[in-house]
Structure formats: structure tokens, C-alpha cells
Amino acid sequence: MHREALRRRVRLLAQDTATPYLWQDEDIDDWLNEAQQEAAIRARLLRATPASHPALCEYPLAAGETAITVPDQLYEISHQEWAAGSERRPLKLVSREWMDTTLPGWRAMPAADPDYLVQDRQQLEVVPPPIADGSVRIEGYRLPEPMGADDEEPGIPLAHHIHLVQWALHVGYSLPDAETFNPGKSQAAEAEFTRYFGARPDADLRADTRNDETHRIVSW
């Protein structure tokens, strides 16, 4: 469904079809973009790999280089490896705290074939420093691109589009406006969105995928 059709559905369900509208078009558009991001995170709808999204998933490093910055669009890492020529070497995704406790001298390790990928939010560090040129290849889950025009569709699969309107209704009814504020309807719409896409994972979702972390999902 195009953005215009989704916006029209939001207005229909909210009985906001007569001008002047209670909710502005640009506000509903923002809520729909927020909805598709929420949906992608909750249901892990969009996977990124080096083949499908090389800019997000493949990071060349020269010998001795260690630092990588991953865009916010890739919010969870599910697999990581070091590639040098035809060699593929799995990397262990860990935290700085784990390295400090387990390998306290890791910052001064000499160059060698990498074993670890140290994660600190969007920053990744290869340890030990690579002895030869290569690249870090990761797989994970990404956010959709925002819709910028009425003829654009959400970046998630078509079957899920219609359910995005529930998030827009949830946000719209939650705003402190004398005409539209309705906590009951806001909560009902949020509950329906959650029923379909699942609960919001922990805020530190990317860290939850590290090998040194206990995997968990809790409400944000």
C-alpha cells in the first residue's frame, strides 16, 4: 500500500475525514514512518547480508587497521567473520568489559589473524589487529528507508502494510489534544500493533547478540 492509502485508512478509522482535519498529513506520515521502523525491529523483518547490502555489511581494513563504524540503519548483528582472500574466519562478538576481564592485555596484542569483534554501540574493533589486508563481513537486521512521497510504499513486506495504521492511531490518540486525546483508544491500537508484530525488544538489542551476553527480550 502506498503512503497515501495508509494515511487515508488512518483517517477513516479515526473518523477524521472532513476538513479541516484534526491530524495534519505530515504528522500521520511521520507516524507511519515510525510504525514501519517499529515493525521491522519487533518482527526482524529486514535482513541485511554482504550480498544484499554490501555498504552496510562489508568493511575493508588494511593490515593493522581495527576500527569500524556501523550505520544506525543496521541495528542488530547476527553473524560476523573475517575475510582475507579465500579465507573465512569466524569472529566472536564481545564487549569491551568482557575483553578487559578475560584478556586484559588485548589492547596491546600484536598483529595476527583476528579472533574477536569488540562492540561498543555503533563502533566495532577487530582484535588482534589484522596482520594482512582483509574485510569484516557481518549479517544482521536493518531498518527500512522512510517514505518520502505519497506514491512510495513502506520498506517492509506488503502483507504487513495495513497493520502499520495501528501505530499511527496509537500515537495520534496519545497526544495531549483536547479534540483527539483518548488514552483508551491509544492503548487499544498499541495492543493490536503489539499482538501482530510482537513486543519491543530491549533497548540494548545489538548488545544482546554478543556471545558474552545472555540473550533476552524485555519491554522497552
Side-chain angles (χ1 to χ4, degrees):
M1 297 179 68
H2 295 131
R3 185 179 73 176
E4 183 179 23
L6 289 169
R7 189 198 308 129
R8 187 166 59 248
R9 181 62 65 93
V10 172
R11 292 201 184 282
L12 181 64
L13 293 177
Q15 298 181 346
D16 184 23
T17 56
T19 56
Y21 295 130
L22 298 174
W23 293 333
Q24 300 301 312
D25 283 357
E26 55 267 29
D27 291 331
I28 296 178
D29 294 344
D30 286 345
W31 304 338
L32 290 170
N33 275 326
E34 184 179 318
Q36 67 164 342
Q37 291 205 0
E38 279 287 324
I41 292 173
R42 291 174 182 232
R44 289 182 169 91
L45 295 177
L46 302 176
R47 187 167 179 82
T49 68
S52 64
H53 294 82
L56 285 179
C57 298
E58 189 156 10
Y59 298 87
L61 291 176
E65 291 185 340
T66 61
I68 296 169
T69 299
V70 178
D72 288 338
Q73 188 181 2
L74 190 73
Y75 64 86
E76 181 181 353
I77 297 173
S78 61
H79 175 76
Q80 57 284 331
E81 66 181 16
W82 173 255
S86 59
E87 178 190 2
R88 295 292 184 271
R89 184 181 182 88
L91 298 174
K92 186 175 184 179
L93 188 66
V94 297
S95 65
R96 288 182 177 275
E97 293 78 13
W98 186 91
M99 292 293 283
D100 288 339
T101 301
T102 309
L103 296 170
W106 66 274
R107 291 176 178 82
M109 292 177 70
D113 291 329
D115 290 314
Y116 301 97
L117 194 59
V118 183
Q119 182 183 35
D120 185 8
R121 300 299 177 182
Q122 278 69 47
Q123 304 300 315
L124 300 175
E125 186 172 349
V126 177
V127 178
I131 198 170
D133 297 352
S135 63
V136 173
R137 294 163 54 90
I138 59 181
E139 297 179 10
Y141 297 94
R142 65 177 180 87
L143 298 175
E145 294 292 338
M147 295 176 284
D150 280 353
D151 61 353
E152 291 185 20
E153 295 186 348
I156 62 176
L158 176 62
H160 307 304
H161 290 184
I162 191 61
H163 300 280
L164 299 178
V165 302
Q166 296 298 331
W167 185 263
L169 292 170
H170 156 60
V171 176
Y173 284 129
S174 70
L175 298 178
D177 182 276
E179 294 186 85
T180 61
F181 181 61
N182 191 319
K185 288 185 176 181
S186 175
Q187 292 171 9
E190 182 183 24
E192 177 58 23
F193 187 87
T194 299
R195 183 198 65 79
Y196 185 80
F197 289 110
R200 197 28 150 122
D202 184 82
D204 201 14
L205 177 62
R206 293 180 65 214
D208 286 351
T209 64
R210 292 196 304 250
N211 291 347
D212 62 310
E213 293 284 340
T214 301
H215 290 205
R216 63 195 184 281
I217 293 180
V218 298
S219 60
W220 190 333

